Amino acid sequence: MKTMFKTAAMFGAVLLANGQETPKDSLEGSKIALDEVLVSAVRVTQESPVTFTNLTKKQMKSRNLGQDIPILMNFLPGVVTTTDAGAGIGYTGIRVRGSDGTRVNVTVNGIPYNDSESHGTFWVNMPDFSSSTQSLQLQRGVGTSTNGSGAFGASLNILTDAVSDKAFGEINSSVGSFNTLKNNLKFSTGLLNDHIEISGRLSRITSDGYIDRASSELDSYFLQGAYLDDRTLIKALLFGGHQTTYQAWNGVDKEQLENNRTFNTAGMYTDEKGNIQFYDNEVDDYKQNHFQLHWNQKLSDYWSTNIALHYTKGQGYFEQYRQDDSFATYGITPFTKDGETVNSTDLIRRRWLDNDFYGTTFSANYRDHKVDVILGGGWNNYTGDHFGEIIWARYSNNRDYEDRYYDDTSTKDDMNVYAKANYKLDNKWSVYGDLQLRNIIYTANGEETGLVDDTFTFFNPKAGVTYNLNDHHNFYLSYARANREPNRNDYKSGNPKPEKLDDFELGWRHTAPGIRLNTNLYYMKYKDQLVLTGELNDVGGAMRANVGDSYRLGLEIDAILTLGDKFILRPNVALSDNKNKNFVFQRDGELEKLGDTHISFSPSIVAGNVLTYMPSTQWQLSLLSKYVGKQYMGNIDAKSSVLDAYSQTDLNVQYTIETNSFIKNIVLSGLVNNIFDSLYESNGYFYTYDDDFSSPGTITTVEGAGYYPQAGINFLLGATLNF
């Protein structure tokens, strides 16, 4: 009996990120339950016919040494992550079921986080946010109705730090490869007069990056004030970050990959003597500050309400050295010098984004023993100013300093309302319904977008059924419709269509002593899907295009297996078939029917495993492995567009020293990434262009590719002092 209780305790302490639900001890359970009302309208449980995975602070803690949230999610089912700088710090990205980050809906406490125009999630603007994250839930597929841009591959909702009833202090420092250094300070007053808590965090992370000059200087803060009583929870949050990151979005070509895989062309120019130089401030410099105010009120034993107000201010630029750039781009008038016409110049430019995002979200929840109903929605407004400045030019022809050579404004209103209900027919059967109406008004006047004045109205129904065979077996079947508007980049290539998705999910969950198993089949049928073409625009943004009919068909399996009282095995695998139907491509000046082709950046196999060994309550050792199959970086199945399969294995160690003094304990953590020193690339780009100069009267389609190399073996070591 003693061994059984010891096994259960250790199992609960480190339960897998891949588990659908996580046991909580009584203290943590009460705090989390109190705060989870902030995300209850957009999260689901096992009683819902939705495929999801939970990840808690405790599960992330041993690897939280400076890398971004996507990297900490790397071992979840169907997830592929990448980083421009090659070591998990700086610009990072995530794909789920082959869908890129612009198609993963992200909310923080139910507030939309995706950029309203690009739909992207720029984690670099929230450095060390994982240190202020209580838990997150990744819903694969369409998921439940949420706020912000529609989920076309997954939705990720993040819950920030819970209210702490006890005062604490925490100092965390870590060092690692590539001169990586992270320091943060956290505190909480605990509950003052049993009702008020103030907590916060300050963080700074610096790293040189694996790629040449791909450095990062990242500062962030988090401040929270909370009031609570038996029926009320009010939270006010201020958080934000400032990042200065040397650009590394150019990647390397095949030759550089083989001979100098860390080479970075960003900032490269040739001086007057013909020597190659690198501009030292080819950086992205951006600040983002968030304010959230949440008020949750329990009206009765059955009714509760939640309303939130939010405001985000973002401002920053990326700076570039441009050699021999045309006057025409900047509105500079050509002039004559020494009898020759001068119509180009070397210059340094900054391209700015200054935006404001504000709005409200709201919900009302009725819950009894048979029915759980949520009525909610949100309204959000975005205004973005895009403008460019020249801060230096060799020849400016009397152009004033910081004159704007373009000045564009865009606005977006996004409103949605939804009604969700889960009704228990009996002890075994329950039915689920979810109806959402979403309206978007988008205007823009950029040179790359043209004049845009679009209005979209989407109706997104969802329905499903759950069957509990017994305490060990749970089955679900669901259908969900999603519609999604184009993003800013999509307008550059013409008049894009909104995309539609019908998502079918069939799942089985099994729980028994020593095993937890989740299995699901999905079929995602798209109309006018905006797939990645493989190409990048001039600021490193991925380009997309409508492809007509396409689909994703897959099987996902993840499990938790306890092996004795010291080992836990947590495997997962995602198998999929991802195809464009009847794809047409213009090659050598003529349209060519390619039939069914692979959707770009959609590997047919993604597998992971975590083996954890706990020799005692103080030690935890984990071996984490990841395999990502071959993928195409374009949609024409070209050999030159193949991104090779790769594998990665990490070693994570954590040791806790109990001191029972002013310092309660010291937690030492170590992470060795890529312990087998594999040379691999997790991302890249593919492009084609028509060359009509090689032979008069002929057009030849030329193909090319670039790659983002990831670091070989590297390490991070950290220490946390808890007061």
Side-chain angles (χ1 to χ4, degrees):
M1 181 67 70
K2 181 178 179 181
T3 301
M4 183 181 71
F5 278 115
K6 181 180 178 183
T7 302
M10 297 176 75
F11 176 74
V14 295
L15 199 57
L16 171 66
N18 295 343
Q20 297 282 20
E21 293 192 352
T22 305
K24 312 175 184 74
D25 58 62
S26 58
L27 179 62
E28 283 292 321
S30 64
K31 290 189 292 187
I32 291 174
L34 180 67
D35 285 81
E36 280 186 344
V37 296
L38 303 183
V39 292
S40 60
V42 295
R43 283 197 176 179
V44 294
T45 67
Q46 283 197 111
E47 295 304 312
S48 302
V50 176
T51 304
F52 70 95
T53 304
N54 291 331
L55 185 62
T56 67
K57 178 184 289 291
K58 188 177 292 186
Q59 294 160 352
M60 292 186 285
K61 193 168 186 178
S62 64
R63 293 194 297 127
N64 184 23
L65 299 171
Q67 295 175 310
D68 270 347
I69 284 179
I71 307 303
L72 299 179
M73 295 173 59
N74 186 45
F75 298 94
L76 299 187
V79 168
V80 176
T81 62
T82 186
T83 170
D84 285 3
I89 297 173
Y91 272 89
T92 59
I94 187 171
R95 295 192 179 101
V96 183
R97 290 186 176 177
S99 294
D100 69 284
T102 65
R103 308 160 74 74
V104 178
N105 170 277
V106 179
T107 56
V108 177
N109 299 325
I111 305 298
Y113 181 68
N114 299 70
D115 179 78
S116 293
E117 282 197 281
S118 71
H119 297 173
T121 304
F122 301 101
W123 301 99
V124 70
N125 296 331
M126 296 201 302
D128 200 29
F129 199 69
S130 54
S131 293
S132 295
T133 296
Q134 186 67 36
S135 66
L136 58 84
Q137 183 178 88
L138 179 69
Q139 299 172 16
R140 302 191 296 278
V142 171
T144 187
S145 289
T146 185
N147 299 301
S149 57
F152 258 61
S155 57
L156 171 64
N157 59 75
I158 297 172
L159 176 66
T160 56
D161 275 347
V163 173
S164 175
D165 56 352
K166 295 182 179 179
F168 70 84
E170 180 180 306
I171 297 174
N172 181 290
S173 292
S174 59
V175 297
S177 301
F178 319 117
N179 292 320
T180 298
L181 176 63
K182 169 192 169 183
N183 290 291
N184 79 16
L185 172 67
K186 291 188 66 177
F187 76 93
S188 171
T189 63
L191 285 180
L192 304 175
N193 296 324
D194 294 327
H195 292 295
I196 297 173
E197 186 237 20
I198 299 173
S199 60
R201 169 185 57 83
L202 286 174
S203 300
R204 179 169 174 80
I205 302 172
T206 58
S207 178
D208 290 345
Y210 168 66
I211 302 300
D212 297 345
R213 302 181 313 287
S215 60
S216 299
E217 293 184 12
L218 314 173
D219 298 294
S220 67
Y221 68 94
F222 182 90
L223 183 64
Q224 172 178 282
Y227 170 84
L228 61 98
D229 61 24
D230 291 340
R231 291 184 174 271
T232 304
L233 171 63
I234 299 174
K235 267 191 173 186
L237 298 94
L238 283 170
F239 58 91
H242 180 201
Q243 58 94 1
T244 304
T245 307
Y246 199 97
Q247 296 167 17
W249 62 52
N250 292 346
V252 296
D253 60 26
K254 198 72 171 179
E255 181 180 352
Q256 293 164 343
L257 187 63
E258 295 174 355
N259 299 310
N260 187 8
R261 60 188 286 111
T262 64
F263 186 71
N264 185 6
T265 61
M268 187 172 69
Y269 67 95
T270 305
D271 65 18
E272 294 178 350
K273 297 181 180 180
N275 300 314
I276 292 178
Q277 303 288 347
F278 295 93
Y279 180 56
D280 60 4
N281 204 43
E282 191 97 352
V283 299
D284 187 72
D285 189 313
Y286 195 79
K287 297 178 182 178
Q288 194 174 72
N289 296 292
H290 301 256
F291 168 74
Q292 296 183 358
L293 178 63
H294 299 267
W295 180 13
N296 178 266
Q297 187 69 42
K298 186 175 182 181
L299 303 176
S300 68
D301 291 341
Y302 303 108
W303 280 100
S304 63
T305 60
N306 187 39
I307 186 168
L309 302 174
H310 68 88
Y311 173 67
T312 299
K313 177 64 178 180
Q315 186 178 52
Y317 60 86
F318 67 90
E319 186 167 312
Q320 288 180 303
Y321 186 100
R322 302 281 294 181
Q323 188 164 29
D324 199 28
D325 224 359
S326 172
F327 279 179
T329 302
Y330 307 95
I332 302 174
T333 303
F335 63 92
T336 301
K337 180 181 180 182
D338 299 329
E340 295 185 1
T341 300
V342 178
N343 55 19
S344 64
T345 182
D346 300 342
L347 57 86
I348 299 171
R349 70 183 186 184
R350 287 178 176 173
R351 300 180 67 176
W352 282 83
L353 176 60
D354 186 349
N355 54 30
D356 298 273
F357 178 62
Y358 57 89
T360 181
T361 62
F362 49 86
S363 65
N365 183 205
Y366 174 85
R367 179 183 298 176
D368 61 24
H369 68 285
K370 289 187 71 70
V371 65
D372 186 358
V373 178
I374 299 174
L375 305 175
W379 171 83
N380 304 292
N381 176 270
Y382 169 91
T383 301
D385 292 329
H386 305 257
F387 58 92
E389 298 174 338
I390 299 173
I391 64 171
W392 172 85
R394 192 175 303 279
Y395 305 117
S396 62
N397 198 13
N398 297 321
R399 187 182 182 96
D400 290 337
Y401 171 67
E402 292 187 343
D403 271 357
R404 297 183 178 183
Y405 64 91
Y406 70 91
D407 194 352
D408 310 327
T409 299
S410 53
T411 64
K412 186 173 184 178
D413 281 295
D414 186 343
M415 183 276 294
N416 86 97
V417 291
Y418 56 78
K420 310 177 187 181
N422 198 54
Y423 181 74
K424 292 183 179 180
L425 299 174
D426 53 33
N427 291 333
K428 294 183 179 295
W429 290 94
S430 63
V431 293
Y432 175 82
D434 182 345
L435 303 176
Q436 182 192 48
L437 185 67
R438 182 166 175 250
N439 180 259
I440 304 103
I441 302 173
Y442 177 56
T443 64
N445 64 348
E447 181 178 338
E448 69 273 24
T449 63
L451 292 176
V452 178
D453 188 0
D454 276 349
T455 299
F456 303 95
T457 301
F458 299 135
F459 176 59
N460 301 314
K462 307 169 184 70
V465 59
T466 302
Y467 176 66
N468 294 309
L469 178 64
N470 51 41
D471 291 340
H472 303 296
H473 297 276
N474 169 278
F475 300 88
Y476 63 91
L477 173 66
S478 68
Y479 161 78
R481 160 62 70 93
N483 294 270
R484 188 178 174 91
E485 74 278 13
N487 69 17
R488 181 181 177 89
N489 288 340
D490 298 329
Y491 286 94
K492 185 174 183 178
S493 54
N495 186 25
K497 302 175 184 177
E499 46 188 343
K500 305 175 182 64
L501 167 62
D502 294 301
D503 180 20
F504 302 86
E505 305 270 340
L506 173 64
W508 167 48
R509 303 177 180 117
H510 172 62
T511 303
I515 183 172
R516 178 168 293 176
L517 176 67
N518 306 298
T519 302
N520 67 282
L521 286 165
Y522 66 87
Y523 177 63
M524 302 168 71
K525 182 178 181 294
Y526 296 88
K527 180 66 176 178
D528 298 320
Q529 182 181 184
L530 284 159
V531 300
L532 297 176
T533 65
E535 297 175 293
L536 304 180
N537 63 16
D538 59 352
V539 295
M543 303 300 292
R544 310 188 303 180
N546 293 115
V547 294
D549 295 330
S550 55
Y551 70 86
R552 301 180 188 274
L553 173 66
L555 169 67
E556 297 167 331
I557 304 172
D558 64 272
I560 307 172
L561 307 171
T562 56
L563 309 175
D565 61 353
K566 297 184 184 301
F567 289 93
I568 298 176
L569 186 65
R570 301 170 284 185
N572 66 76
V573 63
L575 306 173
S576 63
D577 181 45
N578 312 277
K579 294 291 178 62
N580 303 300
K581 296 184 69 66
N582 303 315
F583 194 78
V584 177
F585 176 68
Q586 184 168 304
R587 193 195 306 272
D588 300 336
E590 297 182 2
L591 289 178
E592 181 177 343
K593 296 181 179 180
L594 301 181
D596 292 355
T597 65
H598 292 86
I599 299 176
S600 59
F601 298 101
S602 301
S604 59
I605 178 171
V606 177
N609 186 49
V610 181
L611 174 61
T612 299
Y613 171 57
M614 297 162 293
S616 69
T617 56
Q618 293 175 291
W619 281 97
Q620 178 179 312
L621 296 88
S622 295
L623 193 67
L624 307 97
S625 57
K626 186 80 173 184
Y627 176 82
V628 179
K630 181 184 78 171
Q631 47 191 308
Y632 290 91
M633 297 185 292
N635 297 282
I636 61 174
D637 290 357
K639 290 183 179 179
S640 58
S641 72
V642 169
L643 190 64
D644 291 336
Y646 63 88
S647 62
Q648 170 194 349
T649 303
D650 302 341
L651 177 64
N652 185 207
V653 180
Q654 180 175 286
Y655 179 66
T656 302
I657 303 172
E658 300 292 345
T659 58
N660 297 319
S661 62
F662 173 69
I663 299 176
K664 295 179 181 179
N665 59 55
I666 301 172
V667 180
L668 304 177
S669 301
L671 178 63
V672 183
N673 297 298
N674 195 5
I675 62 175
F676 297 119
D677 201 26
S678 299
L679 297 180
Y680 71 98
E681 301 76 51
S682 61
N683 194 17
Y685 55 87
F686 173 72
Y687 59 88
T688 63
Y689 64 90
D690 290 337
D691 180 1
D692 57 359
F693 300 105
S694 56
S695 178
T698 64
I699 297 176
T700 302
T701 298
V702 179
E703 300 173 356
Y707 307 87
Y708 295 96
Q710 302 300 289
I713 187 170
N714 64 96
F715 73 93
L716 291 164
L717 300 175
T720 301
L721 280 65
N722 293 299
F723 300 90

